[in-house]
Amino acid sequence: MTKPNASLPLLSPFSIPLPTGDALGLAVTPHGMAYLEPAAGDDDDPLPPAVATRLRQSFTQGWAHGLLQLGGGELSTHLPPSLAFGRDIGHLFMAQLCAVPDLESQWETLNFPPPHQELEQRAASAPPMTGAEYLDLNCLISWWAALTAAACAGIAATGGNVQQWLQAKAPVWNLVGRVYFHLAENKNDAETPFAFLATYTNRISAHTARIQHLPLGRALKEYAGASDRDALLKLLLPIQKAAQESSWLKTLMDSGAIHHPLAWTPREAYYFLKDIPKFEASGILVRIPDWWKPKQPPRPQVSVKIGKKTAEGMGMKALLDFSVELTLEGETLTADEWNQILDNTDGLALVKGHWVEVDRERLQEALAHWRGVQREVGDGVSFLEGMRLLAGANIDGAVTTPTTADANWSQVTAGDWLRNALGHLRSPGGATDITLGEDFTAQLRPYQQVGVEWLWWLSRLGLGGCLADDMGLGKTIQLIALLIQLKRHGEPGPHLLVVPASLIANWQGEIRRFAPKLTIFIAHPSEIPTKELANWPQEQLDSVDLVITSYGTLSRLPWMTEKTWSLVVLDEAQAIKNPGAQQTRTAKTLRCRTRFALTGTPVENRLSDLWSLFDFICPGLLGSVKVFSRFAKHLAEDEQNGYAPLRNLVRPYILRRLKTDKQIITDLPDKTEVNAWCGLSKTQVVLYQQAVDELAYTLNTVNGIERRGAILAYLLRFKQICNHPSQWLGDGGYTPTESGKFARLHEIAEAIAARQEKVLVFTQFKEMTDPLNRFLETIFGRPGLVLHGSTAVKQRKVLVDAFQQELGPPFFVLSLKAGGTGLTLTAASHVVHFDRWWNPAVENQATDRAYRIGQHRNVLVHKFICRGTVEEKIDALIESKLGLSNALMEGGNELLLTEMNDTELLQLVALDIHSAADDL
């Protein structure tokens, strides 16, 4: 392996200001970089000012240098969970770096492979944090490479003095003057099969640049002089400190045996192995055989199997069988083998050719506990309790779990049926009974087929789930395919779909396009007057496949919570992340067999959001909010498993695919365009209708070129009103709630911000750039960029370069004329056309700022259209190609509109009040 390149992008200094406060957290970008952010957790206390300053200074050098500071220098600092996770990775790196033989001579060409198993365990136990969805083994492997490069760069800065670099991190990392405990196997001696030796490092060889190890006994001679007494005391201090915690080591010191090579019995070796954490905490370095893992030593265990047979019933209340057996390394032990283990003395025992830990008392206690549970549960445990036991999540189950000490001597595993069922959920794909037939007119992409199979399998089990695919991956079409599948297998509706009001038209259009035989009923004032809807006869819904309503309407129609639905689906399920909100409480009272949630935002990065989501899709799995809070606090304090039990518990019910996944990238189109339907606020409705009336009056009073000018002026006015009332009124207010487009932009931008992706927002109006910039800043939590016709030419490159950086501004607002051509902005994976130019060629040129050479991600284009207005009707004309070809559009379609007669024009701009009204 060649010397790591210290100029890797992973080590580049930050391009955004670091947080100034002392309450800090660690976050991860979509490309796997770590960075500091203001702490978001309610329980995250501010760091000591000196610690916060050190972290900011180290992260300014580069994020990998920041991780080295966490893992190498902040060893005893109390840190919030996210920073503690970063410290754990950094500490693992530093510990293994110091264990590299001859580090002084080979640091420039360091061959330092990452420990895959340990990194994978840490990824599984990561706490909730911004960007946690990007944390996997591959991400942590890239961290390891970045840490290696940062360490090499740091050592190079000292002129290659490894010792000096380590000393600057913390004295505990010194290589010289350190005590080492060595344990090795001696297979030629049956009675004393282990050998022990204590050594110390006294210097680095001038000829070989290698650390010299000497037996600890030599230190008494080397430092015999009075002048070296302090050096001897310093060398032996870690041993004295460890001896205060380890009675075994104290005995060894008092007898003087610590200074000599020793041959050990398995029992003596066991005492040593058990105290390794105490030695390491005192600053002693330990080298042992690789089969012993201090946190997870090999040992026989009481194995509990859940779900060998098919579950009785469905859903979380389904009954799973429960059995207890004895195993070693996953293999069932016979009664004779078990008795043989119990006949051994406590400590290390050689069983089936492997050294294993034996503690008869703990083994018998664990066996007694689970035998007692087996008698207690009788026929079995509920699916809910079984999943908790399997995940090691001791929330508030009726089934008692063993003490922590006894739990180390037992394991809970899935039986054949449950293992197969969970396999379908954790690694979906390969089902053979998805037959959509001619009722479904679309062609699913392979990953979408997998998503439908996953939803179908959950439905068959009577379990809820969350489809959390990235925006643009087709959650809508996957749900529609599921509805077809349910209907073909005799599971008709009525099903209920709850969506933001702005998405009703999207769903309606997609169903008509891809599943025209599905019967739908729109329970929303845009289709049926509110009073009529409130008294709608429920028996008329029995022949309907799907009822679509909005979150706002759901809270106003009591019959929706009284009716029993077959399936309830919440789209944009982040709408229920606030447990106290009215729409959240109403959604959770819906009666149904199965519940699904669709969302494009991360669901595991904030514990409160996760609990609220699961309280809907899998009620009871995470307990009450109070119980869950207590459970989460326990996880934060668990240094061994971290948040792994929670992740294991929720994992089967969440399917999340990212656009960055290698299996997804090759299956995506380069560009996906979607219409983002927007409603109108009450103020917009009034102003729009007023403009229509005034246009009708004006058309009766003008002719010729004056008529054309008036029409163009009113078309401009309609666009301004659709954007925001303040743009037409000129009052400068721009209150977000006064615009349906601002509301839709908030929904889209919030999801983009949660994914830490970037967006370009185009408008043809310069006066809209500043209001949009201010509004987006409140969503992303940090400033963006603005470019319009008044932006200096030299400044354009500065803005582009800033936006293109990994941690640069998250959004860029551009006027269409100034920013629609000539710029390369491939850092963005989203493009928003806030107002339409009504010329596909011009819009495509703007989109191509992101969709061009250098773009390695799918680009999702959101075209904003206000329902029931001239925007919707002109979009329909463009889509239908009714005389508005690109060739004709080059002259500006507004000129074509001016040639319409009065009746055609007024029909074009007329307001459909039911369709346009926002869900207020």
Side-chain angles (χ1 to χ4, degrees):
M1 179 176 178
T2 58
K3 178 183 176 181
N5 184 355
S7 63
L8 284 170
L10 289 170
L11 295 177
S12 60
F14 279 26
S15 57
I16 59 173
L18 292 171
T20 56
D22 293 336
L24 301 174
L26 192 69
V28 183
T29 73
H31 290 97
M33 291 174 58
Y35 65 96
L36 288 179
E37 68 170 4
D42 296 333
D43 299 327
D44 291 346
D45 296 325
L47 298 171
V51 174
T53 299
R54 287 198 299 269
L55 290 181
R56 279 192 290 269
Q57 290 174 344
S58 59
F59 272 88
T60 300
Q61 293 180 269
W63 65 269
H65 292 280
L67 292 179
L68 285 177
Q69 176 60 32
L70 281 169
E74 308 298 338
L75 302 181
S76 59
T77 305
H78 174 73
L79 299 172
S82 61
L83 286 174
F85 175 78
R87 173 172 62 190
D88 190 32
I89 302 297
H91 186 274
L92 176 66
F93 175 85
M94 290 293 294
Q96 297 210 6
L97 179 69
C98 289
V100 171
D102 308 324
L103 177 61
E104 301 76 11
S105 63
Q106 61 167 310
W107 68 267
E108 291 185 281
T109 56
L110 188 59
N111 186 8
F112 193 31
H116 287 205
Q117 182 177 357
E118 290 168 285
L119 291 179
E120 193 165 25
Q121 290 173 348
R122 281 161 172 79
S125 62
M129 57 195 289
T130 301
E133 68 270 29
Y134 304 115
L135 276 174
D136 58 14
L137 176 60
N138 289 331
C139 176
L140 294 187
I141 288 174
S142 72
W143 282 24
W144 199 266
L147 286 165
T148 303
C152 291
I155 295 171
T158 66
N161 191 324
V162 176
Q163 179 69 17
Q164 180 182 337
W165 181 75
L166 290 172
Q167 176 75 23
K169 293 298 176 190
V172 72
W173 300 117
N174 288 350
L175 296 178
V176 177
R178 297 288 298 276
V179 173
Y180 288 71
F181 284 172
H182 306 259
L183 182 70
E185 287 187 75
N186 180 13
K187 297 181 180 180
N188 296 324
D189 191 331
E191 292 187 5
T192 54
F194 294 95
F196 169 81
L197 178 66
T199 68
Y200 74 101
T201 53
N202 69 333
R203 64 176 60 88
I204 298 176
S205 169
H207 300 290
T208 64
R210 296 180 178 180
I211 284 183
Q212 294 184 341
H213 283 263
L214 297 174
L216 188 60
R218 287 278 299 272
L220 299 179
K221 299 178 180 178
E222 183 171 345
Y223 298 116
S227 60
D228 291 331
R229 185 174 180 274
D230 290 341
L232 178 62
L233 293 176
K234 182 178 179 181
L235 177 69
L236 298 180
L237 183 61
I239 303 179
Q240 294 170 344
K241 183 178 179 181
Q244 295 175 3
E245 303 295 329
S246 171
S247 58
W248 166 85
L249 180 58
K250 185 177 187 305
T251 301
L252 215 60
M253 284 190 64
D254 291 344
S255 65
I258 189 72
H259 301 293
H260 308 287
L262 300 173
W264 277 352
T265 64
R267 187 177 184 84
E268 291 171 318
Y270 178 68
Y271 287 146
F272 168 81
L273 293 170
K274 291 294 288 181
D275 280 353
I276 284 177
K278 299 175 182 177
F279 304 150
E280 292 180 334
S282 301
I284 299 171
L285 297 177
V286 181
R287 292 179 174 175
I288 57 175
D290 58 7
W291 48 258
W292 180 268
K293 308 296 182 186
K295 292 185 178 180
Q296 293 180 319
R299 55 174 57 132
Q301 289 185 313
V302 179
S303 180
V304 178
K305 283 198 179 298
I306 298 174
K308 288 183 178 180
K309 304 174 184 177
T310 303
E312 298 180 14
M314 295 182 66
M316 285 291 168
K317 295 182 180 180
L319 204 61
L320 300 173
D321 60 280
F322 183 97
S323 62
V324 179
E325 57 187 17
L326 308 166
T327 62
L328 177 64
E329 300 293 324
E331 297 183 10
T332 302
L333 295 172
T334 65
D336 289 342
E337 289 171 333
W338 180 250
N339 290 330
Q340 179 186 351
I341 290 174
L342 294 181
D343 286 342
N344 275 287
T345 56
D346 288 346
L348 289 178
L350 193 62
V351 180
K352 292 187 174 183
H354 301 284
W355 287 105
V356 298
E357 180 184 16
V358 174
D359 186 324
R360 290 176 297 173
E361 181 179 355
R362 292 298 185 196
L363 275 170
Q364 290 172 332
E365 287 178 356
L367 181 61
H369 170 83
W370 288 112
R371 292 291 191 201
V373 171
Q374 190 174 31
R375 291 190 297 270
E376 180 184 336
V377 301
D379 294 333
V381 296
S382 69
F383 194 95
L384 183 152
E385 288 293 351
M387 293 301 292
R388 288 179 176 177
L389 289 172
L390 200 59
N394 185 15
I395 299 181
D396 65 344
V399 177
T400 57
T401 56
T403 63
T404 301
D406 291 342
N408 291 331
W409 295 89
S410 63
Q411 64 175 348
V412 181
T413 58
D416 293 341
W417 178 85
L418 184 57
R419 183 172 60 253
N420 178 65
L422 294 179
H424 280 298
L425 297 180
R426 290 170 176 160
S427 301
T432 57
D433 56 353
I434 301 294
T435 53
L436 302 176
E438 296 180 355
D439 294 342
F440 188 68
T441 63
Q443 180 64 46
L444 293 173
R445 297 181 180 278
Y447 73 87
Q448 293 171 338
Q449 176 80 14
V450 168
V452 176
E453 293 170 0
W454 181 77
L455 291 169
W456 171 235
W457 185 247
L458 276 171
S459 178
R460 290 173 60 183
L461 294 175
L463 300 173
C466 176
L467 182 60
D469 285 346
D470 257 350
M471 293 173 64
L473 293 188
K475 294 184 290 294
T476 300
I477 199 171
Q478 292 175 69
L479 195 278
I480 293 173
L482 172 69
L483 296 177
I484 292 291
Q485 175 76 356
L486 290 170
K487 188 172 184 177
R488 289 176 63 88
H489 283 74
E491 298 183 36
H495 310 299
L496 178 64
L497 172 64
V498 187
V499 305
S502 58
L503 295 184
I504 290 178
N506 292 63
W507 276 96
Q508 194 172 11
E510 295 290 274
I511 291 173
R512 287 173 178 170
R513 179 183 176 188
F514 299 125
K517 292 185 179 180
L518 281 180
T519 56
I520 60 176
F521 175 76
I522 308 298
H524 189 264
S526 62
E527 296 284 334
I528 300 173
T530 303
K531 290 184 179 180
E532 185 179 349
L533 194 57
N535 299 302
W536 195 264
Q538 294 189 37
E539 59 271 13
Q540 292 190 20
L541 300 178
D542 293 340
S543 60
V544 173
D545 293 314
L546 180 68
V547 175
I548 303 178
T549 192
S550 68
Y551 286 99
T553 305
L554 177 67
S555 300
R556 293 194 289 266
L557 298 179
W559 59 263
M560 284 198 168
T561 56
E562 296 168 0
K563 185 173 180 60
T564 299
W565 307 91
S566 176
L567 169 67
V568 170
V569 181
L570 302 186
D571 190 18
E572 301 295 341
Q574 61 271 21
I576 64 165
K577 66 182 180 181
N578 182 359
Q582 175 64 38
Q583 63 188 30
T584 303
R585 296 197 302 269
T586 303
K588 292 180 179 180
T589 61
L590 291 167
R591 302 175 184 178
C592 57
R593 184 180 67 87
T594 308
R595 297 176 171 188
F596 289 145
L598 310 179
T599 181
T601 62
V603 296
E604 296 180 75
N605 293 358
R606 289 183 62 87
L607 290 178
S608 58
D609 295 358
L610 181 69
W611 178 86
S612 189
L613 178 73
F614 268 79
D615 196 43
F616 170 75
I617 62 174
C618 298
L621 184 66
L622 298 185
S624 67
V625 66
K626 184 177 181 180
V627 167
F628 180 71
S629 177
R630 185 166 59 245
F631 171 64
K633 184 177 181 180
H634 169 73
L635 295 180
E637 298 170 350
D638 187 348
E639 295 182 359
Q640 180 171 338
N641 298 310
Y643 288 82
L646 176 60
R647 291 184 178 274
N648 291 336
L649 182 60
V650 303
R651 179 185 166 196
Y653 316 101
I654 301 174
L655 181 61
R656 178 176 57 236
R657 275 81 61 89
L658 307 179
K659 286 181 289 189
T660 52
D661 289 349
K662 293 181 180 179
Q663 294 180 340
I664 302 297
I665 291 174
T666 57
D667 195 34
L668 283 176
D670 295 329
K671 178 174 65 175
T672 303
E673 297 185 349
V674 296
N675 288 339
W677 299 97
C678 311
L680 296 181
S681 68
K682 292 180 179 178
T683 303
Q684 285 176 301
V685 168
V686 171
L687 291 174
Y688 191 99
Q689 186 58 53
Q690 180 182 334
V692 172
D693 295 340
E694 292 180 11
L695 174 60
Y697 174 80
T698 301
L699 290 175
N700 291 325
T701 62
V702 295
N703 291 293
I705 192 168
E706 187 178 357
R707 180 182 184 274
R708 293 191 185 98
I711 292 173
L712 292 175
Y714 272 95
L715 287 174
L716 179 65
R717 180 173 171 181
F718 288 129
K719 281 186 175 183
Q720 291 173 325
I721 293 171
C722 286
N723 278 355
H724 197 289
S726 292
Q727 187 182 1
W728 163 244
L729 297 174
D731 58 15
Y734 289 99
T735 304
T737 55
E738 287 293 306
S739 167
K741 284 191 177 181
F742 271 63
R744 188 74 183 101
L745 182 60
H746 187 281
E747 294 171 356
I748 292 174
E750 189 175 44
I752 294 172
R755 287 293 191 197
Q756 300 182 81
E757 296 175 337
K758 297 192 178 190
V759 61
L760 306 179
V761 180
F762 286 101
T763 174
Q764 62 181 289
F765 301 101
K766 175 185 174 182
E767 64 266 26
M768 283 301 303
T769 57
D770 184 57
L772 286 171
N773 176 54
R774 295 197 307 268
F775 177 62
L776 289 170
E777 186 173 338
T778 65
I779 300 171
F780 284 89
R782 56 192 183 100
L785 301 173
V786 176
L787 186 149
H788 47 64
S790 299
T791 304
V793 175
K794 292 183 178 180
Q795 184 66 12
R796 288 165 65 99
K797 185 178 186 305
V798 174
L799 296 176
V800 169
D801 290 345
F803 185 76
Q804 288 291 92
Q805 294 184 41
E806 167 83 359
L807 291 172
F811 64 89
F812 204 154
V813 181
L814 309 101
S815 68
L816 200 57
K817 283 187 177 181
T821 59
L823 302 178
T824 296
L825 299 168
T826 51
S829 55
H830 294 265
V831 176
V832 169
H833 291 289
F834 188 76
D835 41 59
R836 308 293 301 281
W837 190 260
W838 296 339
N839 185 328
V842 173
E843 287 185 347
N844 288 339
Q845 278 188 331
T847 296
D848 288 349
R849 298 316 95 215
Y851 174 54
R852 60 195 298 113
I853 295 174
Q855 178 60 267
H856 303 294
R857 292 165 293 178
N858 167 261
V859 176
L860 187 57
V861 184
H862 311 263
K863 298 180 178 181
F864 279 30
I865 304 170
C866 283
R867 298 189 309 266
T869 71
V870 65
E871 292 190 339
E872 180 177 11
K873 294 167 187 175
I874 290 182
D875 179 75
L877 287 174
I878 295 173
E879 291 295 322
S880 63
K881 310 297 183 184
L882 294 181
L884 297 178
S885 67
N886 285 351
L888 290 174
M889 292 289 290
E890 289 177 1
N893 70 301
E894 289 93 341
L895 297 179
L896 296 176
L897 300 179
T898 62
E899 303 307 313
M900 288 182 172
N901 62 44
D902 291 357
T903 301
E904 291 173 333
L905 185 60
L906 290 174
Q907 286 177 345
L908 183 73
V909 301
L911 178 66
D912 181 346
I913 184 65
H914 290 299
S915 178
D918 213 339
D919 191 27
L920 302 175

